[in-house]
Amino acid sequence: MPEPVYTEPLYTADDMRGAEARYPGFPGTAPELMERAGAGAAAVALEEFEEANSWTVVCGGGSNGGDGRIVARRLEEAGRRVRVVDAKSGDGDLGDADVIVDALFGTGFTGTPRDDARALIEAVNEHSAPVLSIDLPSGVDASTGESAGAAVEADLTVTFHARKVGLVVAPGRFHAGRVRVADIGLESESTRVQSATPALLGVVPRRGERDNKYTSGHVLVVGGSRGLTGAPQLTALAAMRADAGYVTVAAPESTVATLEQRLLEAVKRGLAEGADGTLAAGAADAILELAGKASAIAIGPGLGRGDGPSAVVRRVLAEAELPVVVDADGLFALEPGDWPAPRVLTPHEGELGRLLGRDSKEVAAHRLAAVREAVERFRCCVLLKGPDTIVAAPGTGEIVVSLGRPSLATAGTGDVLTGIVAAFLAKGVEPQLAAAAAAVAQQRASVEAPQHSGLVAGDLIDVLPQVLG
């Protein structure tokens, strides 16, 4: 039986240049590769838009434009009417096309399009015809997904050899439409950035006959405050459904009665709290005592903000000698530390922006760079949530998880993810793989859940056993 494929390579511009350079006879064989690329793109174009008769192919001056001209020739050979618009000519007339082929820029593009190219990109976007982009939507950086200026809004992208980072990481992913890969005969390469597959769930140990509730993973959830009891409940339930054998919830004493109403299987421990209903700084002593029997901690969901919760987070991270996943309010005012055990931070763009002293829009525009900066700053595993979840850790590449539905953009799904990460850490999975596998589980749950419209976080928990099975 073949080994499961946990991840697949995502290529940068440098990765593609390296793969081409290793092709026998290169660069003398470059025209051969270009012909294959153009032929592959034309075949997809004719398959996807078989009824289209009138085509406009917008060609730049580089190799991507060369691919586009081969596409144009192949379309003409198939009996289609084709108009080629050369970017250098200054001709911005796209005509009455049924389909527009975007072949302005390819993997080598970086920065901002020049004014003439920007005008063409805007004309393509304003046209009513569907757009097929060659390799990358023009204006998107293949290596990062960044788009510093105008970028084509493609309905379909035909990329060569393998998917590029810029087709999977936002904002580039939002420009790509559906993505199809055309094989041009290059050998597969190992790349720094990898895309997770559903098979990654195979790294998580399954409960065996010799396991008991403690060896299956004991998760300690620290969170909750007055009026914010839902978040730690979601985290605890998710940890249990992610196959943790034992879950303890440590929360302010005044919230325990509320937690008892829903968390039947979890053990509850009331902690010292302040007048505002958040944990008092002294609660850290009890938490660290409880941690002595746990195998992983999830801290932050519903924790609230203030001096007490911040002091608790600092002490737990500084002293707990077991893996900790930090989310939500646990990330507020977080500072780097010399931590004694693995830590996993799970921010969204706003939280990561606050941690790095950046605006959330800046993080959104530079997701890969932001998560790398966070790893360097905090020296731990960082999971940046979003439509493409990026998981990075010191000394390794990044794993991108892009398997879910837009329905995940709803309150509480981050709390669910935290519980799954904690469960996998409690089972002894290495932090980056635990975080990436948890993102796979959560995103696959969004696909398996019967509710795609109107999905709520609890729906994910209900289908987790099915996903993990």
Side-chain angles (χ1 to χ4, degrees):
M1 180 178 293
E3 290 292 320
V5 178
Y6 292 147
T7 61
E8 296 175 342
L10 293 175
Y11 279 64
T12 64
D14 284 342
D15 293 330
M16 279 302 297
R17 281 190 283 267
E20 290 169 350
R22 284 182 282 275
Y23 185 75
F26 192 87
T29 50
E32 175 185 330
L33 291 175
M34 183 176 288
E35 187 66 35
R36 288 183 191 171
V44 172
L46 290 167
E47 177 188 333
E48 293 277 353
F49 304 102
E50 59 181 347
E51 300 298 325
N53 180 57
S54 177
W55 296 70
T56 295
V57 183
V58 182
C59 296
S63 59
N64 197 246
D67 296 334
R69 289 176 177 85
I70 294 171
V71 170
R73 171 166 53 82
R74 293 277 183 154
L75 290 172
E76 286 180 333
E77 291 170 353
R80 303 311 196 265
R81 182 162 51 88
V82 181
R83 175 188 181 89
V84 175
V85 174
D86 190 328
K88 292 184 178 180
S89 70
D91 179 10
D93 181 9
L94 303 182
D96 187 20
D98 297 325
V99 180
I100 294 175
V101 177
D102 157 39
L104 268 174
F105 303 128
T107 55
F109 172 82
T110 59
T112 304
R114 295 187 304 271
D115 288 346
D116 54 346
R118 176 186 53 77
L120 265 178
I121 289 172
E122 291 174 350
V124 168
N125 288 340
E126 290 168 3
H127 202 283
S128 60
V131 178
L132 183 155
S133 283
I134 303 297
D135 217 11
L136 271 294
S138 294
V140 171
D141 189 313
S143 303
T144 64
E146 296 176 8
S147 174
V152 165
E153 301 282 352
D155 299 280
L156 173 69
T157 297
V158 182
T159 197
F160 305 127
H161 179 53
R163 288 188 299 166
K164 312 305 185 292
V165 174
L167 296 172
V168 181
V169 174
R173 64 176 287 122
F174 301 136
H175 291 268
R178 292 184 298 114
V179 176
R180 291 189 56 175
V181 178
D183 180 15
I184 57 173
L186 299 177
E187 293 294 323
S188 183
E189 304 283 332
S190 177
T191 58
R192 169 174 174 162
V193 186
Q194 297 278 314
S195 176
T197 73
L200 188 60
L201 292 175
V203 305
V204 182
R206 300 306 194 259
R207 202 177 307 190
E209 292 182 356
R210 297 188 180 185
D211 279 318
N212 57 47
K213 60 187 178 183
Y214 299 109
T215 61
S216 298
H218 178 179
V219 173
L220 172 61
V221 178
V222 180
S225 56
R226 192 177 303 154
L228 294 173
T229 57
Q233 291 183 64
L234 288 170
T235 300
L237 289 167
M240 287 187 278
R241 290 300 189 189
D243 204 39
Y246 199 100
V247 174
T248 300
V249 180
E253 183 66 49
S254 64
T255 69
V256 171
T258 302
L259 297 173
E260 291 277 15
Q261 300 299 311
R262 187 178 182 191
L263 295 178
L264 302 181
E265 297 87 355
V267 174
K268 277 73 64 179
R269 290 289 182 265
L271 303 174
E273 61 187 278
D276 61 353
T278 63
L279 289 179
D285 292 328
I287 294 167
L288 291 168
E289 181 179 351
L290 290 168
K293 296 182 179 180
S295 42
I297 299 174
I299 190 167
L303 191 67
R305 300 174 184 177
D307 293 342
S310 293
V312 167
V313 171
R314 284 195 296 270
R315 275 201 62 195
V316 169
L317 293 181
E319 299 180 32
E321 297 183 354
L322 69 165
V324 182
V325 53
V326 189
D327 187 32
D329 291 331
L331 297 166
F332 187 74
L334 187 68
E335 293 290 340
D338 186 16
W339 297 321
R343 305 302 186 231
V344 178
L345 313 183
T346 61
H348 55 56
E349 290 170 349
E351 291 164 337
L352 185 56
R354 187 164 53 244
L355 290 173
L356 297 177
R358 306 251 193 284
D359 185 89
S360 63
K361 292 181 179 178
E362 185 177 352
V363 173
H366 308 280
R367 285 175 59 80
L368 198 56
V371 77
R372 288 171 175 170
E373 181 181 349
V375 168
E376 183 176 350
R377 175 176 169 80
F378 290 95
R379 302 185 301 280
C380 69
C381 179
V382 179
L383 180 156
L384 176 57
K385 292 181 282 199
D388 51 283
T389 293
I390 305 175
V391 186
T396 71
E398 295 80 29
I399 300 174
V400 182
V401 187
S402 181
L403 301 168
R405 289 182 175 270
S407 54
L408 281 172
T410 188
T413 55
D415 303 313
V416 171
L417 179 62
T418 299
I420 306 171
V421 175
F424 293 174
L425 289 171
K427 291 176 176 293
V429 182
E430 178 272 328
Q432 187 182 23
L433 288 179
V440 170
Q442 183 214 40
Q443 293 186 19
R444 290 300 302 164
S446 76
V447 174
E448 298 294 334
Q451 305 87 351
H452 294 154
S453 177
L455 177 139
V456 297
D459 298 330
L460 302 174
I461 296 171
D462 293 340
V463 296
L464 275 177
Q466 174 183 332
V467 169
L468 296 175

